[in-house]
């Protein structure tokens, strides 16, 4: 069903430890059909009505790659942020140019989460690495036990980790030990699968590119369906 993977995609969202975005941030949520078409687009309610209309119109034109389960594509839900910048146009006014589309920082705890059992605080950014500009994406495969804890955690990428990434790995595992995750659903059906969770450490508006794990996914059918991924190349285009 549309939006049936909301809990799953929330659990698999990128946990980012990064400096605040310096551009104009336009948040939105959307359901993505099994065909990759976004619908029920809900811009951040704090945006001006004109900006909300722009976001709805633009996002409706995008297309996503959805995950699959047992050979069938599945619908999902995305919660993302468009980071844009104002650029002058010929008539003397301004337009908004998209810099990137990213996942927001995951900061759901028992105080503000819709489901108090869900908690995914991002790891602290090791100060010595942040000062040196070390950034990157770590990807973990893990199960979820009956209490919602991440178990059997395996670092999938990078392999092998260098000295810097070992520090990022330690910070990530410390954060994951405190996470409480929802059970995985495909539509309304609970399924037993292993999650593939990226954790991004970034110091600028455009986060490091996630690794291509298609070969790993293909050889591990026990993995949960991946959340929708934006296929449309929007960086540098006008909103």
């Amino acid at each position: 069903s549309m939006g049936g993977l909301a809990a799953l995609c929330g659990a698999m969202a990128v946990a980012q430890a990064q400096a605040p975005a310096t551009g104009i941030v336009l948040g939105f949520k959307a359901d993505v059909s099994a065909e990759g078409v976004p619908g029920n687009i809900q811009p951040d309610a704090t945006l001006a009505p004109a900006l909300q209309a722009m976001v709805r119109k633009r996002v409706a034109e995008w297309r996503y790659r959805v995950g699959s389960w047992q050979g069938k594509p599945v619908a999902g839900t995305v919660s993302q942020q468009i980071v844009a910048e104002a650029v002058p146009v010929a008539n003397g006014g301004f337009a908004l140019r998209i810099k990137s589309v990213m996942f927001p920082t995951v900061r759901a705890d028992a105080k503000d989460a819709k489901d108090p059992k869900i908690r995914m605080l991002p790891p602290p950014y090791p100060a010595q690495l942040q000062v040196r500009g070390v950034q990157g994406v770590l990807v973990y495969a893990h199960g979820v036990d009956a209490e919602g804890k991440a178990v059997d955690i395996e670092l999938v990428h990078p392999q092998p980790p260098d000295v810097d990434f070992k520090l990022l790995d330690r910070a990530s595992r410390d954060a994951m030990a405190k996470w409480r995750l929802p059970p995985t659903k495909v539509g309304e059906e609970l399924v037993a699968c292993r999650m593939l969770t990226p954790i991004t450490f970034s110091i600028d508006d455009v986060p490091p590119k996630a690794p291509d794990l298609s070969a790993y996914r293909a050889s591990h059918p026990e993995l949960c369906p991946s959340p929708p991924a934006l296929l449309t190349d929007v960086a540098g285009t006008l909103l």
Side-chain angles (χ1 to χ4, degrees):
S1 63
M2 186 72 74
L5 279 178
L8 169 63
C9 293
M12 296 180 69
V14 178
Q16 291 178 316
Q18 65 173 42
T22 56
I24 300 165
V25 178
L26 311 167
F28 71 91
K29 296 179 181 179
D31 295 329
V32 179
S33 72
E35 293 72 36
V37 179
N40 188 28
I41 301 162
Q42 302 175 39
D44 190 325
T46 62
L47 298 177
L51 279 177
Q52 292 191 40
M54 291 170 67
V55 170
R56 285 193 191 94
K57 182 176 185 298
R58 193 76 170 89
V59 173
E61 300 170 352
W62 297 351
R63 293 298 178 265
Y64 286 79
R65 180 180 63 247
V66 297
S68 61
W69 180 249
Q70 297 180 342
K72 296 180 180 180
V74 292
T77 302
V78 291
S79 177
Q80 293 182 301
Q81 292 176 337
I82 301 169
V83 179
E85 59 185 347
V87 293
V89 291
N91 64 5
F94 287 88
L96 291 179
R97 182 168 59 199
I98 298 173
K99 296 175 67 177
S100 65
V101 178
M102 54 193 288
F103 289 96
T105 301
V106 179
R107 293 195 180 280
D109 58 25
K111 293 181 294 183
D112 59 10
K114 291 182 180 179
D115 183 343
K117 295 190 291 291
I118 299 173
R119 187 182 305 115
M120 287 181 68
L121 291 173
Y125 209 133
Q128 66 270 42
L129 301 185
Q130 193 168 2
V131 167
R132 287 169 40 217
V134 175
Q135 53 184 5
V137 181
L138 294 85
V139 183
Y140 295 90
H142 60 89
V144 179
D145 68 12
E147 296 179 348
K149 296 179 182 178
V151 294
D152 300 326
I153 299 171
E154 171 196 1
L155 178 64
V156 174
H157 174 85
Q159 279 297 340
D162 61 18
V163 173
D164 287 340
F165 270 82
K166 284 181 180 178
L167 287 176
L168 297 179
D169 178 44
R170 190 179 310 153
S172 298
R173 289 176 183 269
D174 287 347
M176 293 176 74
K178 301 170 186 172
W179 286 4
R180 294 298 177 269
L181 305 167
T184 301
K185 285 186 176 182
V186 173
E188 296 304 315
E189 180 185 357
L190 287 172
V191 297
C193 58
R194 279 176 66 77
M195 291 186 174
L196 204 57
T197 300
I199 297 181
T200 300
F201 291 84
S202 176
I203 58 174
D204 52 36
D205 287 349
V206 181
K209 188 175 181 180
D212 180 4
L213 295 173
S214 54
Y216 183 87
R217 278 194 165 279
S219 61
H220 291 75
E222 76 281 5
L223 292 174
C224 301
S226 57
L230 183 60
L231 286 175
T232 307
D233 186 6
V234 300
T237 63
L238 297 180
L239 190 65

